[in-house]
Amino acid sequence: MKKGLVLEGGAMRGMFTAGVLDVLMENDIEFDGAAGISAGAVFGCNYKSKQIGRAIRYNKKYCKDPRFCSIRSLIKTGDMYGEDFCYRELPDTLDPFDTETFRNNPTEFYVGATDMKTGECIFHKCEDGGRKDLKWMQASASMPLVSRPVEVDGYLLLDGGIADSVPYKYMESIGYDRNLIVLTQPKGYRKSKAAMMSLFKWKLKAYPAIVEAMARRHEMYNRQMEEIEEREQEGRAFVIRPPEALGISRTEKNPDELERVYQLGRKVALDALPALSTFLNGEG
């Protein structure tokens, strides 16, 4: 039996996930491997580096800093979330990412990003939390229309959620058969067709495969939700999700709102701990 942790994205809905992960770490709940998409990647990496509280701490501290996330950054650099600030200054200096612990932790950590040429999700195993791994995390979280494509390992990549919003099938394909899936939408949520498809088609007309993936994203996502609910009912997966829509902006700048969603993640995780422990021990 291999125990896996599967993390959905959702921009600042990821504060819910951050709360869940901190409770898991505080209670020594361990997994053989984890896979994250978008916010699930950039916040989930703190699980492997064992940095309780880091995600909520730096998001609250810098959410109003224009270098972190702003229209000014988008106009100036092409990225709403500033590349240099988010993926160099922050992890290197302002709130250091513990690469030594990340490297030495045997838990495998995978991130997924969408290949612009094929429209498929490509997964990368992060080994040391260094520059290349951070580049893959950046790619996974590079939201369409407000981020530049990311070049790494010969790929041109965007947000992993375009092609694979919740990577449970990938984890199953590499042998993880006892998975905790952390979602950032409530049970029964279904995605609508993407807005601004005409703008997306125009901006990425040179990459028809990713345009097509974006056009079908709602179908893929809704199918995933149905399959996850089936796995949950059959006892094949354990799901932690918010009890209702989180009502938080994708680029939330109110620290109190970030804290609210984080605390909700903590509460839901704490309530789920007894049943989760039973599931992970193969008793459920």
Side-chain angles (χ1 to χ4, degrees), residues 195-234:
M196 298 189 294
M197 272 306 302
S198 58
L199 179 58
F200 196 87
K201 289 178 181 178
W202 172 78
K203 188 169 183 179
L204 293 173
K205 55 182 176 293
Y207 301 96
I210 199 170
V211 171
E212 180 63 21
M214 190 67 182
R216 298 194 313 267
R217 183 181 185 184
H218 64 295
E219 298 173 357
M220 173 272 296
Y221 184 89
N222 294 341
R223 184 170 59 251
Q224 287 189 328
M225 292 304 104
E226 291 171 2
E227 292 177 353
I228 287 170
E229 289 171 16
E230 289 174 1
R231 282 163 169 73
E232 183 180 25
Q233 291 170 2
E234 295 167 358

Side-chain angles (χ1 to χ4, degrees), residues 3-70:
K3 294 181 287 188
L5 176 62
V6 180
L7 306 173
E8 182 183 9
M12 285 305 152
R13 295 200 312 272
M15 287 295 95
F16 177 86
T17 302
V20 172
L21 295 178
D22 282 355
V23 167
L24 296 178
M25 287 188 280
E26 289 164 1
N27 288 274
D28 299 319
I29 306 294
E30 297 185 348
F31 298 86
D32 300 301
I37 294 289
S38 194
V42 296
F43 299 154
C45 63
N46 295 292
Y47 175 83
K48 182 171 166 64
S49 65
K50 300 184 178 182
Q51 290 178 275
I52 298 170
R54 180 173 180 267
I56 183 62
R57 181 176 62 240
Y58 76 71
N59 275 280
K60 287 178 64 177
K61 185 172 183 178
Y62 297 108
C63 61
K64 295 183 179 180
D65 192 317
R67 299 171 299 169
F68 182 66
C69 176
S70 65

